[in-house]
Amino acid sequence: MALQLYDSWTRSLRPFTPISGDTVGMYCCGPTVYDYAHIGNLRSYVFEDLLRRTLAWHGYAVRHVVNITDVGHLVSDGDDGEDKMEKGSRRSGESAWDIAARYSRAFQDDWAALNLLPPALWCRASEHIDAQIADVATMAERGYVYRTADGLYFDTARQPDYGYLARLDRSGLAAGARVAMGGKRSATDFALWKFSPPGIKRQMEWDSPWGRGFPGWHIECSAMAARHLGTWFDIHCGGEDHVAVHHSNEIAQHQACHGNRLANFWLHGAFLTLGEDKMSKSAGDFLRLQTLVDAGHEPLAYRYLCLTAHYRSPLAFDWDALAGAASALQRLRDAVQRWPQGGTADAATLAAFGAEIGDDLNLPRALAVAWRLVRGELADDTKRATLLAMDAVLGLDLAAWQPQAAPPDIVALAAARQQARADKRWADADALRTRIEAAGWQLEDGADRPRLTRRARAGH
């Protein structure tokens, strides 16, 4: 089945074909590295990894570029407040550069733990200042830029179709705008270059034709994407919170410089929620991947949880759901361990799986195909080969998993339980099982001896 993807620009499913040959250029908005990523942030990167793997399934090579925002992201979409890096430095006492390096490493550690394929390029905003200045200069020459006391701003009135990606009602934003106007002409205008405040020494600032300062957040991504993928490339991704502001502004800048919307497809992932609310760092619900690990869950259990909801649908997080995902992942691992090697993948099952992922990355239905395989009647070696072929997209690293050996005290409890069962001391056997499970191990009775596997906890 041909691959079709939901394009946020057209708000429709569209058949996907690369712009040129069999290579896909894909840009993904990366983290602002002033703090750790939370698991809601990480859901977006799992979705983008699934997209990349699905493109490879369809035979395409992917040039995957991910930015790291280490300068220029203000605390408000209204272009006011401090730069997040400078604010983080003031809070911690570390230099902004050290903060960027530390949280970049932490983010890349999370990336690897979730088995996300490494991008072709990590590009840092602070290493592309010249490209950003060049784009601002082009826009200024063409009349899209005006100057205020605190910086250079993009004049959105120059673009009648500004905000089309978000279907913005610009007239409705004028009077009751949630952003501070300052010296801006319109509520939708946004910063391209901010001047360093008088009397305040910033750690991250550069000379420009307009004065010493730093770039706005939006100019970073459009400049870097164009430099590394060209001025018209295949796919631009991000979270759904990017649609109304960040991506709309990227498109506006790029149209002013190059006359097109930057990417042929715009794909956006939905939020991870806690109850009815999206997860955010400011709302007191800042769950890191390490938080899950500290509660006894593997990062790949969280990856499995992300597979259970379509990327354009909200995913509700709770600990019981994560424990269920961990259990399901373990059953897949156990099956692969149990089945013999040497089989050939079943073509019909792979075709069914491919049809689901080709339908706008419908991973919940693709998982259903995998579970029908596990429970079906094919030969076990065929099942193994087929499931491992599907794992090229699922990314659960099933072939590499090895069972964790239980510690001696747990092995001793299991042996004592076996003896209690042999002696028909059923109450003692049940009590020993309870102790084993309370220690975080699952016991499964086998034909010759019990099997012990590590069990994730349902809470934190």
Side-chain angles (χ1 to χ4, degrees):
M1 178 180 175
L3 174 61
Q4 60 176 0
L5 300 172
Y6 185 88
D7 178 17
S8 299
W9 180 264
T10 62
R11 297 199 175 179
S12 65
L13 286 171
R14 295 172 52 204
F16 176 79
T17 303
I19 292 169
S20 178
D22 291 329
T23 298
V24 176
M26 184 170 89
Y27 184 89
C28 298
C29 284
T32 302
V33 285
Y34 70 102
D35 205 338
Y36 295 106
H38 62 60
I39 60 172
N41 303 139
L42 295 173
R43 186 194 179 193
S44 289
Y45 303 113
V46 173
F47 135 59
E48 291 156 0
D49 183 68
L50 294 168
L51 170 60
R52 177 176 168 184
R53 289 169 180 269
T54 297
L55 290 164
W57 178 280
H58 283 80
Y60 302 125
V62 183
R63 177 162 172 76
H64 182 194
V65 176
V66 180
N67 77 291
I68 290 182
T69 296
D70 56 359
V71 64
H73 193 167
L74 303 182
V75 297
S76 163
D77 286 341
D79 294 313
D80 53 7
E82 291 184 87
D83 180 301
K84 288 185 176 181
M85 299 304 304
E86 298 282 342
K87 183 177 181 180
S89 174
R90 190 165 290 112
R91 181 185 69 232
S92 69
E94 298 177 84
S95 78
W97 299 100
D98 287 344
I99 286 175
R102 176 156 64 93
Y103 289 121
S104 294
R105 288 192 300 270
F107 175 76
Q108 289 167 330
D109 288 345
D110 287 348
W111 185 284
L114 288 167
N115 199 31
L116 309 182
L117 298 174
L121 178 69
W122 297 100
C123 55
R124 296 179 179 276
S126 62
E127 296 173 355
H128 293 77
I129 300 299
D130 289 348
Q132 295 165 64
I133 289 175
D135 279 5
V136 175
T138 297
M139 286 182 270
E141 291 170 4
R142 296 177 180 177
Y144 287 92
V145 179
Y146 63 89
R147 183 178 184 126
T148 71
D150 72 343
L152 301 184
Y153 283 80
F154 187 95
D155 186 357
T156 57
R158 288 290 313 279
Q159 285 183 335
D161 62 346
Y162 171 80
Y164 178 79
L165 181 72
R167 308 303 193 263
L168 288 181
D169 176 10
R170 294 171 64 186
S171 62
L173 291 174
R178 66 183 175 85
V179 297
M181 289 293 290
K184 298 198 300 185
R185 297 174 181 173
S186 169
T188 54
D189 294 353
F190 56 91
L192 297 167
W193 187 264
K194 296 283 280 188
F195 302 136
S196 295
I200 298 177
K201 176 63 177 174
R202 284 179 51 88
Q203 299 171 65
M204 293 180 160
E205 59 180 6
W206 294 265
D207 289 325
S208 79
W210 316 283
R212 192 159 180 81
F214 57 98
W217 173 33
H218 317 296
I219 190 63
E220 299 173 358
C221 280
S222 59
M224 289 189 290
R227 273 25 173 216
H228 293 296
L229 294 173
T231 58
W232 176 240
F233 60 87
D234 294 287
I235 301 173
H236 195 310
C237 296
E240 64 181 351
D241 53 329
H242 286 152
V243 174
V245 180
H246 183 48
H247 286 173
S248 290
N249 292 348
E250 276 194 70
I251 290 169
Q253 294 163 158
H254 195 77
Q255 284 180 332
C257 287
H258 303 289
N260 62 48
R261 65 178 183 268
L262 186 62
N264 189 20
F265 281 76
W266 289 81
L267 272 68
H268 295 94
F271 292 136
L272 184 77
T273 64
L274 289 175
E276 297 297 320
D277 300 320
K278 82 161 190 173
M279 186 170 293
S280 68
K281 294 177 184 176
S282 61
D285 51 22
F286 185 11
L287 295 178
R288 294 173 50 201
L289 193 61
Q290 187 61 46
T291 311
L292 310 190
V293 172
D294 291 344
H297 296 276
E298 299 176 65
L300 289 181
Y302 178 65
R303 182 183 178 101
Y304 186 100
L305 180 63
C306 291
L307 302 181
T308 63
H310 191 273
Y311 77 92
R312 288 192 287 115
S313 298
L315 172 61
F317 176 86
D318 64 54
W319 293 97
D320 288 340
L322 182 61
S327 177
L329 172 61
Q330 191 58 53
R331 291 198 301 274
L332 290 179
R333 288 168 166 172
D334 290 343
V336 169
Q337 284 283 313
R338 186 171 65 249
W339 293 331
Q341 300 183 35
T344 301
D346 179 65
T349 304
L350 293 184
F353 179 82
E356 302 299 1
I357 61 172
D359 184 14
D360 194 34
L361 316 182
N362 199 316
L363 268 298
R365 291 207 308 251
L367 270 182
V369 173
W371 282 109
R372 286 198 297 272
L373 169 78
V374 171
R375 298 171 180 131
E377 301 299 325
L378 293 174
D380 285 349
D381 60 346
T382 299
K383 288 183 180 181
R384 187 179 197 277
T386 308
L387 183 58
L388 292 184
M390 291 190 242
D391 197 39
V393 174
L394 301 177
L396 299 172
D397 212 13
L398 298 174
W401 181 80
Q402 294 293 324
Q404 179 182 350
D409 59 326
I410 300 298
V411 173
L413 288 175
R417 177 180 173 275
Q418 281 291 91
Q419 187 59 54
R421 283 167 55 85
D423 297 341
K424 301 187 185 313
R425 293 182 284 111
W426 307 118
D428 290 343
D430 289 344
L432 288 162
R433 174 188 280 276
T434 299
R435 289 178 60 187
I436 291 167
E437 292 178 346
W441 291 85
Q442 182 172 316
L443 188 147
E444 180 182 350
D445 290 314
D448 51 353
R449 64 179 184 277
R451 184 169 179 273
L452 292 162
T453 55
R454 190 68 177 167
R455 192 166 65 112
R457 297 195 291 274
H460 68 293

